[in-house]
RNA sequence: GGCGCCGUAGCCAAGUGGCUAAGGCAGCGGAUUGCAAAUCCGCCAUCCCCGGUUCGAAUCCGGGCGGCGCCUCCA
């Protein structure tokens, strides 16, 4: 098998500070390939962000969430990573929206960019290094177009500029299309183009449209050019990873490659990574796309209220509401349970289901705190893969932890298989829980420093791994807004718990159960543990 | 019509040539508990169908059936 050979080879060529067991699926080659960087130890990532003509929806978050993990994981593996997410803030739809709302294009953009950033933060996406906007890079865009004209790959036509696909022999290589099979956009531009498949690099402005000075007519950039210009400006002529939704492969990314490679005469990107799309329900096609628009009115399954909500979420605050309702951490967890290239069937009931499983982690974190007195969230876990390596020696617990860690890393190394990796996380928690049970760690008298030390070490490993996914970074804010009453409520519950404890001592279980049941009706659960009774809301 | 993806237990979902097919939800049995909750243990799939390659396939090839994406703005 060639796998062994590749691994051996990469171990020799890789920088010692980075891990070369990583394999990445490349849309361009349709294969998983060993990950090699352009520059040793450095990774440049460009992800296509939104066109900000409207509020973000959940589908816009799939890419950012997975790439947030990818960056975290690469950093963990020792790379110096620069991650760009572009914002397209000049576009036909933006102009249309601005006219409808009687606002400037800039105002519409500002509003939706703020919404986008809020939603990113809500899902814990905080690894982005730059969010460049197309309108901030106009000089670079114009220079890029000029160069394409100079090199004979583009032509001006009545103030517009078009890319001449017939000059690019490689055109179609990403989406595997032949020039003949491409219909191209017809319409009003058709007569200004030499080829139907030619696409606009620069569009002359009509009266009243926002425009920028250019060597051609005053106008604005075409849809694809800003990505070529900005990625070049920020990451260079050839960079490591370009990402986006699967729906961008054609024409957007195909056109980006054509522009960039014809302009620079070099490969633009080494790894093209595309995430799968979200679907609202089996009947409704993908979210935010043509399928939704066509079927929106038609088939809304009454069983699945979510489909309806998704459609409505195109309006104000849809995603923000969803995050408020479910919690960003749950949505993130839900998205990461599936491999990033798969289609995810989205529904709130599916989020609920995955959240039920997610509770296992939160319960364990509480248990850890009960036993160790330390918060899981502040554990000094290794932030680098190499630092986290350890020899479990004869420690049975740590041997199991070590094995789990290896399986987790193997999953992540295999094209960022977060779904498989999360499975290992569940295993790891079970191992740790089992240790608590068998060693009776909840019982103060049975604890030994040695056992506690192993337990803490194992839990540090758990934290080390969850950090690479950006999961459980901080305590979940308790649902419901805190009020001044919170303290008093807590004191009252403690009082009831004391009364119940007295009842239990007297074997008055009827009273004890009444207290627990009545509190249960108020959504307050009591759990009796060796160290006393614990209560929780919800 | 062209290009491409997918079909694993009741549901969600890893695994893409070789130990007993991860994990989660739901369910069932047990340990534990005054009873619960939590936790742990056990049970619960031969991988859409047919054929082929191979010592050996869920995993590769061919053919069906079914679902989906792109080809037009889309993360």
């Amino acid at each position: 098998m060639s796998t062994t050979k590749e691994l051996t080879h990469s171990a020799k060529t890789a920088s010692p500070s980075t891990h070369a067991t990583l394999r990445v699926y490349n849309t361009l080659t349709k294969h998983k390939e060993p990950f090699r960087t352009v520059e040793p130890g450095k990774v440049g990532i460009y992800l296509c962000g939104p066109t900000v003509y409207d509020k973000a929806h959940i589908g816009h978050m799939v890419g950012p969430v997975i790439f947030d993990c990818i960056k975290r994981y690469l950093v963990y593996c020792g790379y110096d990573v620069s991650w760009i997410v572009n914002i397209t803030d000049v576009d036909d739809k933006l102009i249309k929206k601005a006219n409808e709302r009687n606002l400037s294009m800039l105002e519409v953009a500002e509003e939706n960019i703020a919404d986008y950033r809020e939603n990113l933060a809500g899902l814990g996406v905080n690894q982005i290094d730059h969010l460049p906007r197309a309108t901030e890079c106009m000089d670079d865009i114009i220079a890029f177009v000029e160069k394409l004209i100079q090199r004979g790959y583009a032509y001006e036509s009545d103030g517009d500029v078009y890319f001449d696909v017939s000059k690019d022999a490689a055109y179609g290589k990403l989406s595997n299309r032949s020039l003949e099979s491409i219909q191209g956009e017809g319409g009003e531009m058709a007569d200004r183009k030499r080829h139907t498949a030619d696409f606009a690099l620069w569009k002359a402005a009509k009266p009243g449209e926002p425009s920028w000075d250019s060597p051609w007519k005053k106008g604005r950039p075409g849809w694809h050019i800003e990505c070529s210009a900005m990625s070049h400006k920020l990451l260079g002529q050839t960079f490591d990873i370009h990402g986006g939704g699967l729906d961008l492969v054609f024409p957007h990314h195909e056109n980006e490659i054509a522009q960039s490679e014809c302009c620079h005469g070099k490969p633009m990107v080494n790894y093209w990574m595309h995430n799968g799309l979200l679907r609202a329900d089996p009947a409704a096609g993908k979210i935010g796309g043509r399928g939704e628009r066509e079927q929106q009115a038609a088939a809304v399954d009454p069983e699945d209220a979510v489909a309806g909500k998704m459609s409505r979420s195109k309006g104000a605050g849809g995603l923000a509401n969803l995050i408020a309702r479910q919690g960003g951490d749950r949505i993130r967890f839900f998205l990461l349970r599936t491999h990033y290239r798969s289609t995810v069937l989205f529904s709130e009931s599916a989020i609920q289901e995955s959240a039920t499983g997610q509770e296992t982690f939160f319960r364990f974190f509480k248990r850890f705190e009960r036993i160790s007195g330390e918060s899981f969230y502040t554990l000094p876990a290794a932030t680098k893969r190499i630092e986290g390596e350890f020899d479990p020696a004869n420690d049975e617990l740590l041997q199991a932890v070590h094995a789990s860690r290896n399986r987790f890393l193997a999953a992540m190394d295999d094209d960022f298989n977060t779904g498989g990796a999360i499975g290992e996380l569940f295993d790891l928690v079970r191992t740790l829980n089992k240790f608590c049970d068998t060693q009776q760690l909840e019982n103060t008298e049975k604890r030994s420093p040695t056992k506690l030390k192993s337990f803490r070490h194992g839990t540090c490993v758990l934290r080390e791994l969850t950090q690479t996914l950006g999961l459980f970074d901080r305590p979940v804010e308790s649902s419901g807004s805190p009020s001044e009453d919170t303290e008093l409520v807590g004191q009252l519950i403690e009082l009831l718990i004391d009364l119940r404890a007295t009842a239990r001592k007297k074997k008055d279980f009827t009273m004890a159960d009444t207290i627990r049941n009545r509190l249960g009706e108020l959504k307050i659960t009591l759990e009796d543990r060796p160290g006393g009774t614990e209560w929780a809301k919800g």
Side-chain angles (χ1 to χ4, degrees):
Chain A
M1 281 320 322
S2 62
T3 316
T4 324
K5 231 184 247 171
E6 281 167 7
L7 294 183
T8 314
H9 175 68
S10 43
K12 278 178 188 163
T13 52
S15 144
S17 64
T18 54
H19 276 259
T21 48
L22 195 57
R23 289 161 60 80
V24 175
Y25 182 87
N26 189 351
T27 308
L28 191 60
T29 60
K30 301 197 168 46
H31 289 289
K32 283 182 197 169
E33 299 171 358
F35 185 64
R36 300 289 145 68
T37 57
V38 176
E39 268 186 77
K42 288 194 175 177
V43 181
I45 303 176
Y46 186 93
L47 177 70
C48 280
T51 301
V52 284
Y53 64 96
D54 208 342
K55 297 270 191 282
H57 64 251
I58 181 68
H60 289 124
M61 294 293 131
V62 177
V65 166
I66 179 63
F67 274 92
D68 190 75
C69 289
I70 289 173
K71 173 167 174 188
R72 285 167 188 267
Y73 192 68
L74 290 173
V75 167
Y76 171 73
C77 288
Y79 293 99
D80 179 8
V81 182
S82 182
W83 177 26
I84 316 294
V85 178
N86 82 284
I87 304 271
T88 301
D89 60 351
V90 49
D91 161 272
D92 291 2
K93 279 183 292 190
L94 230 73
I95 293 172
K96 190 175 164 227
K97 199 74 172 185
N99 289 339
E100 282 169 16
R101 298 183 54 197
N102 208 16
L103 295 171
S104 72
M105 190 171 74
L106 183 70
E107 286 168 325
V108 172
E110 291 290 351
E111 188 182 300
N112 292 317
I113 288 170
D115 172 74
Y116 185 69
R117 299 184 80 122
E118 234 170 77
N119 292 142
L120 290 176
L123 292 180
V125 176
N126 57 18
Q127 300 290 306
I128 299 172
D129 294 292
H130 301 289
L131 277 155
R133 294 166 57 166
T135 54
E136 289 166 353
C137 304
M138 215 45 85
D139 293 347
D140 305 283
I141 291 170
I142 289 168
F144 207 104
V145 175
E146 280 187 302
K147 191 166 173 193
L148 280 170
I149 294 175
Q150 278 164 25
R151 299 193 56 159
Y153 290 105
Y155 56 90
E156 184 182 357
S157 177
D158 195 20
D160 290 351
V161 180
Y162 293 95
F163 184 88
D164 188 344
V165 293
S166 67
K167 296 281 169 56
D168 178 12
Y171 191 77
K173 69 179 178 180
L174 182 68
S175 57
N176 193 22
R177 267 156 231 252
S178 64
L179 218 44
E180 303 79 62
S181 74
I182 298 167
Q183 295 165 12
E185 53 181 324
E188 50 185 307
M189 319 237 275
D191 53 340
R192 279 181 261 176
K193 296 196 286 191
R194 293 178 187 167
H195 244 272
T196 53
D198 289 353
F199 54 91
L201 300 173
W202 190 261
K203 295 179 173 182
K206 295 184 195 112
E209 286 182 347
S211 62
W212 284 259
D213 285 326
S214 81
W216 320 287
K217 281 187 182 163
K218 277 175 80 101
R220 62 183 182 277
W223 173 32
H224 318 291
I225 191 69
E226 92 266 17
C227 284
S228 283
M230 289 194 281
S231 64
H232 168 238
K233 181 186 181 186
L234 296 163
L235 297 172
Q237 296 188 342
T238 302
F239 56 96
D240 301 290
I241 297 175
H242 190 130
L246 213 44
D247 54 343
L248 294 183
V249 173
F250 187 90
H252 188 51
H253 290 164
E254 192 69 72
N255 291 351
E256 277 188 50
I257 295 190
Q259 293 161 351
S260 290
E261 301 197 345
C262 289
C263 184
H264 305 307
K266 286 182 186 170
M268 179 190 187
V269 169
N270 285 150
Y271 303 92
W272 286 89
M273 296 178 66
H274 291 96
N275 58 268
L277 305 176
L278 228 47
R279 287 202 302 138
D281 76 52
K286 75 184 177 189
I287 290 163
R290 177 176 49 169
E292 180 180 295
R293 285 198 299 278
E294 284 174 354
Q295 296 178 46
Q296 198 167 345
V300 174
D301 186 355
E303 280 292 296
D304 198 343
V306 173
K309 275 175 191 155
M310 291 305 297
S311 302
R312 271 183 264 121
S313 80
K314 307 300 285 182
L319 178 53
N321 283 342
L322 178 72
I323 292 173
R325 219 162 37 236
Q326 292 290 346
D329 60 306
R330 287 177 163 208
I331 298 171
R332 186 177 178 108
F333 187 79
F334 169 74
L335 292 175
L336 292 175
R337 282 183 20 157
T338 309
H339 187 94
Y340 75 89
R341 277 188 281 119
S342 310
T343 302
V344 175
L345 266 173
F346 177 87
S347 72
E348 288 202 55
S349 55
I351 292 181
Q352 297 284 13
E353 187 187 303
S354 96
T356 303
Q358 199 178 357
E359 287 297 320
T360 301
F361 292 92
F362 296 121
R363 279 189 231 102
F364 174 74
F365 300 156
K366 281 188 191 165
R367 191 177 201 186
F368 174 75
E369 194 164 341
R370 278 202 300 278
I371 291 168
S372 70
E374 251 182 304
S375 165
F376 173 81
Y377 301 101
T378 54
L379 277 179
T383 55
K384 289 287 188 287
R385 186 169 180 162
I386 289 175
E387 289 166 15
E389 274 159 18
F390 68 100
D391 177 10
N394 295 320
D395 189 316
E396 230 172 277
L397 172 69
L398 292 183
Q399 281 169 358
V401 169
H402 192 257
S404 262
R405 181 178 183 270
N406 284 152
R407 286 193 298 268
F408 177 98
L409 296 177
M412 288 300 284
D413 281 344
D414 184 9
D415 195 29
F416 310 103
N417 181 358
T418 55
I422 285 176
E424 296 302 336
L425 252 27
F426 274 101
D427 266 351
L428 180 50
V429 169
R430 180 184 297 114
T431 299
L432 259 13
N433 266 323
K434 196 169 170 178
F435 189 74
C436 291
D437 285 357
T438 56
Q439 304 299 323
Q440 295 185 267
L441 255 38
E442 300 246 26
N443 187 333
T444 325
E445 289 160 22
K446 303 274 179 149
R447 291 176 191 164
S448 77
T450 319
K451 286 172 186 167
L452 285 174
K453 197 179 162 198
S454 295
F455 180 56
R456 184 176 186 272
H457 188 168
T459 308
C460 280
V461 171
L462 176 63
R463 176 143 181 87
E464 172 190 341
L465 302 180
T466 58
Q467 276 178 335
T468 68
L469 298 178
L471 290 172
F472 316 125
D473 264 1
R474 65 188 79 168
V476 186
E477 293 151 36
S478 53
S479 55
S481 55
S483 67
E484 317 82 60
D485 294 342
T486 308
E487 201 183 333
L488 179 61
V489 168
Q491 288 167 341
L492 287 172
I493 292 171
E494 290 298 339
L495 173 64
L496 287 168
I497 288 174
D498 284 349
L499 290 173
R500 180 166 168 273
T502 311
R504 289 177 73 206
K505 263 184 200 156
K506 292 188 199 155
K507 308 267 185 205
D508 182 357
F509 295 122
T510 317
M511 176 59 73
D513 291 349
T514 302
I515 293 174
R516 188 172 57 195
N517 291 339
R518 292 289 298 274
L519 283 173
E521 288 166 17
L522 302 172
K523 299 278 185 228
I524 288 164
T525 56
L526 297 189
E527 299 180 8
D528 299 325
R529 301 182 187 290
T533 300
E534 294 234 330
W535 69 275
K537 257 166 77 173

